[in-house]
Amino acid sequence: MHVNKQGEVASKAGVRHIRKVEIRELRVADYFGLLDSMQLAYHDWRGSAWSKEQITRLIQIFPEGQFVILVNGKVVGTALSLIVNYDEFGDDHTYMQIIGDYTFNTHRKNGDVLYGIEIFIHPKYRGLRLARRLYDARKELCERLNLKSIIIGGRIPEYAQLADKMTPKEYIEKVKMKEMHDPVLSFQLANEFHVKKLLQNYMPGDEGSKECATLMEWNNVLYAKKNTPQARLKTTARVGLIQWQMRSFKTFEMLCEQIEFFIDSVAGYKADFVLFPELFNAPLMAEFNHLTQAEAIRSLAGYTELLRDKFIDYAITYNVNIITGSMPFIRKGQLYNVGYLCRRDGSIERYSKIHVTPNEVNTWGIVGGNKLKVLETDAGRIGILVCYDVEFPELSRLLALQGMDILFVPFLTDTQNAFTRVKCCAQARAIENECFVCIAGGVGNLPKVHNMDIQYAQSAVFTPCDFAFPTNGIKAEATPNTETVLIADLELDLLKKVRLHGSVHNLLDRRSDLYELKELKPNGRLELLREHAEKNYVFNILNPVILK
């Protein structure tokens, strides 16, 4: 029942079995699952478990401040907090004073500080950055309630081992300077908390910390004083685009190592999305170069589900939504070009390239998919179109009418001519649909893979062209034809403003009295290959939600 008992330092055992991670408000019915995690988390601290009556009381007085995290429906951790008037306590206080000796009568609905009184993770599930998610949930709550800061009293559990060699102050300073590692203090510093002071006799019974604690604070930069307009909610999505170097990989594991490196790098910047290019796994076709080109890419499809499972693991472990670019996929004998949205909560969605190029048809025998929909995420509504699809304006318009905020376009182009088609069309889609468009492609060459000789790309983020955005409609762009990562922040609220108050209204001003766009409900598989130049496709969309 004590605050901030551990960091996240254990192994990632069992991550492959995780398919759903959920954070929500704690319920009384969660108690027995919570008790199991508490007893294992604090196995060496007798009497440390919260009682059911205490948990019930906390939920009654401040339900939105009590978070629980579940993995595959199992309770594996929690974060508990109160709102206090910090001036009632000042910087010199004890844990018991903050919690009112377990009465929690210190909670003030109109207080100014969110005080964290507990956080723990089941030992089996440490190393998955779950505690980081709980910290992020607290930060979002602090911003939403317009509180000045989050305060915690953090343990220094490794100090007892060195107490005869240094003072608590010296220990804290060495951890801050990264000369030493403390599983709790190092974790809190990495989560943007700073040390205000050292507290003596903070938590009776904490022998590992010699009853010392670090008084730590995270400042809410969006805080507005009570006599000023309320601070607005944060509505920024951070994207990381991988401009992937095509190179030889001797093994599947080496390819996965490179994938994880980029995901880890982007996640380190707390990105919400990471985007890989189209057919980024083509280097694995080298081992099938003795086959015909059509046979080689079908052999490559054997890796797709293995990579999908890897991406699911990475999305959970690194707490980022991953758009996997695209990979060949065989279904009922037909070869498709597909990718996956792997959400950080463990859920996934598959999407397919709808329009296939003449080269894809003639060389590989790829056929087009027939499903198009906006995908919901915790950082906005997104659409995904693969390369050639962005050159058909009907698709992105359908997605925009369903409320899409960000369009992701993984692509693969061999020449600058081909890249220019993708780039110009992507920019047009951003303007006409009043959305952000993110494109990411592969670069370099693959001399030992047929039909994949050279690649050219310049990954970029495009915006509408209005006063709230860059004058050239380019939010960010990478160095051409060089392996790199492009990171950008997308302010989603700007889209609402431009749709209502922009210089022009590309969505609102459509002449629906003169023309319409309809999506045909497919009766079986749409034949979108070979004949795509001969057919007139008419699309339909109902209940547009572009202003919601």
Side-chain angles (χ1 to χ4, degrees):
M1 62 179 67
H2 307 292
V3 64
N4 305 312
K5 295 295 193 303
Q6 76 284 319
E8 293 182 316
V9 296
S11 67
K12 302 176 184 177
V15 67
R16 293 191 178 278
H17 303 293
I18 295 175
R19 288 297 175 264
K20 182 70 174 179
V21 178
E22 178 186 8
I23 292 180
R24 59 166 169 77
E25 289 184 10
L26 180 64
R27 303 166 186 164
V28 175
D30 297 322
Y31 178 75
F32 290 106
L34 198 66
L35 181 62
D36 177 59
S37 294
M38 280 188 289
Q39 290 173 335
L40 290 171
Y42 303 143
H43 63 90
D44 57 349
W45 196 329
R46 294 185 61 188
S48 61
W50 292 83
S51 70
K52 185 175 182 181
E53 291 72 25
Q54 291 164 348
I55 293 295
T56 302
R57 174 67 176 152
L58 274 172
I59 293 172
Q60 288 173 342
I61 66 172
F62 185 31
E64 61 266 45
Q66 322 312 324
F67 295 104
V68 66
I69 191 162
L70 301 95
V71 174
N72 297 343
K74 173 184 173 64
V75 174
V76 300
T78 192
L80 311 177
S81 59
L82 299 170
I83 298 175
V84 299
N85 280 324
Y86 196 69
D87 287 343
E88 294 181 23
F89 302 96
D91 288 344
D92 293 303
H93 58 262
T94 67
Y95 182 72
M96 287 299 181
Q97 289 172 339
I98 289 295
I99 64 172
D101 199 16
Y102 299 109
T103 66
F104 313 119
N105 58 11
T106 53
H107 177 73
R108 302 286 183 267
K109 184 177 180 179
N110 296 317
D112 59 354
V113 163
L114 186 69
Y115 203 110
I117 62 172
E118 173 66 282
I119 186 167
F120 67 80
I121 298 294
H122 190 297
K124 180 181 177 182
Y125 294 89
R126 294 176 190 169
L128 300 175
R129 294 173 170 82
L130 300 182
R132 189 180 300 270
R133 298 194 191 201
L134 291 171
Y135 270 65
D136 289 343
R138 274 184 178 165
K139 292 174 183 178
E140 293 171 7
L141 177 65
C142 183
E143 291 175 350
R144 188 172 81 244
L145 298 180
N146 191 38
L147 300 174
K148 186 184 298 183
S149 63
I150 302 174
I151 298 286
I152 55 178
R155 299 181 63 226
I156 44 176
E158 302 291 331
Y159 174 64
Q161 304 172 25
L162 300 167
D164 59 337
K165 298 180 180 178
M166 63 185 71
T167 65
K169 182 178 179 181
E170 291 171 335
Y171 178 86
I172 292 169
E173 194 62 31
K174 286 184 178 294
V175 174
K176 286 173 62 178
M177 299 303 295
K178 301 193 184 314
E179 297 176 26
M180 298 172 53
H181 177 84
D182 182 276
V184 175
L185 179 56
S186 297
F187 175 75
Q188 292 162 344
L189 291 170
N191 276 276
E192 304 172 331
F193 282 76
H194 65 272
V195 179
K196 289 185 61 130
K197 68 173 298 182
L198 173 70
L199 296 176
Q200 302 282 359
N201 304 313
Y202 180 74
M203 190 181 297
D206 184 3
E207 297 177 0
S209 305
K210 291 293 184 180
E211 298 188 354
C212 296
T214 53
L215 185 65
M216 306 196 72
E217 182 176 34
W218 176 83
N219 296 109
N220 176 14
V221 297
L222 299 179
Y223 172 72
K225 292 183 179 180
K226 302 301 181 181
N227 58 352
T228 63
Q230 288 289 310
R232 302 181 67 253
L233 298 181
K234 183 179 179 181
T235 56
T236 298
R238 178 166 292 177
V239 298
L241 314 182
I242 310 303
Q243 190 155 288
W244 175 270
Q245 174 77 42
M246 292 292 191
R247 57 167 71 81
S248 297
F249 292 100
K250 293 183 179 180
T251 65
F252 174 76
E253 289 71 24
M254 291 176 66
L255 175 75
C256 293
E257 185 178 86
Q258 188 69 22
I259 293 169
E260 186 173 11
F261 163 76
F262 279 120
I263 293 172
D264 187 13
S265 299
V266 172
Y269 292 98
K270 297 185 178 180
D272 297 294
F273 298 100
V274 55
L275 172 66
F276 282 84
E278 179 183 21
L279 295 178
F280 71 93
N281 64 334
L284 296 178
M285 269 201 293
E287 65 176 295
F288 309 118
N289 225 26
H290 61 287
L291 304 175
T292 67
Q293 295 179 38
E295 291 171 335
I297 198 164
R298 283 178 171 262
S299 298
L300 179 64
Y303 285 108
T304 294
E305 292 186 334
L306 294 174
L307 281 169
R308 176 202 62 195
D309 292 343
K310 284 282 189 181
F311 277 117
I312 294 170
D313 292 347
Y314 297 149
I316 294 170
T317 300
Y318 292 99
N319 192 23
V320 64
N321 301 301
I322 302 173
I323 296 138
T324 67
S326 76
M327 299 169 277
F329 179 76
I330 298 174
R331 181 174 180 270
K332 295 182 179 180
Q334 298 279 17
L335 181 64
Y336 296 87
N337 190 354
V338 310
Y340 300 89
L341 166 64
C342 298
R343 299 185 183 90
R344 50 186 156 201
D345 67 0
S347 61
I348 65 169
E349 304 254 11
R350 189 174 71 204
Y351 54 86
S352 300
K353 188 172 185 177
I354 293 175
H355 298 87
V356 290
T357 65
N359 181 61
E360 288 176 294
V361 174
N362 299 327
T363 303
W364 289 329
I366 293 178
V367 300
N370 61 6
K371 292 183 179 180
L372 181 73
K373 70 173 183 175
V374 166
L375 305 175
E376 298 285 347
T377 75
D378 56 11
R381 296 187 183 101
I382 71 168
I384 305 171
L385 297 178
V386 181
C387 197
Y388 193 33
D389 283 337
V390 80
E391 298 178 31
F392 296 82
E394 297 89 351
L395 298 183
S396 53
R397 175 54 55 85
L398 288 171
L399 294 171
L401 293 175
Q402 293 179 49
M404 174 184 67
D405 297 313
I406 309 170
L407 175 62
F408 289 97
V409 183
F411 71 91
L412 177 67
T413 50
D414 52 355
T415 65
Q416 287 181 264
N417 301 58
F419 167 71
T420 299
R421 290 195 296 270
V422 171
K423 175 186 178 181
C424 292
C425 289
Q427 282 197 275
R429 304 298 87 86
I431 294 170
E432 67 199 17
N433 296 304
E434 297 170 328
C435 66
F436 293 105
V437 179
C438 303
I439 66 172
V443 301
N445 59 80
L446 286 173
K448 294 184 179 180
V449 177
H450 294 310
N451 202 42
M452 293 291 295
D453 303 309
I454 57 174
Q455 292 83 39
Y456 183 93
Q458 183 178 22
S459 302
V461 178
F462 302 123
T463 73
C465 290
D466 213 321
F467 295 117
F469 304 96
T471 54
N472 62 357
I474 302 175
K475 173 74 174 180
E477 58 185 348
T479 302
N481 239 28
T482 301
E483 184 171 65
T484 188
V485 173
L486 185 66
I487 296 176
D489 284 341
L490 311 183
E491 297 178 61
L492 304 181
D493 265 5
L494 292 181
L495 300 179
K496 295 180 181 179
K497 289 183 178 179
V498 77
R499 289 167 181 171
L500 285 171
H501 307 296
S503 303
V504 294
H505 305 127
N506 295 90
L507 289 176
L508 289 176
D509 290 345
R510 290 175 302 118
R511 287 289 303 276
S512 56
D513 61 319
L514 185 62
Y515 56 85
E516 63 179 348
L517 191 63
K518 293 183 178 179
E519 181 180 9
L520 297 176
K521 301 300 180 183
N523 181 15
R525 185 177 61 83
L526 288 178
E527 296 295 328
L528 292 174
L529 70 158
R530 293 190 179 94
E531 302 172 0
H532 67 273
E534 303 173 6
K535 290 187 176 182
N536 292 318
Y537 293 107
V538 187
F539 301 86
N540 176 47
I541 187 65
L542 300 176
N543 301 320
V545 291
I546 61 172
L547 298 180
K548 292 185 179 179

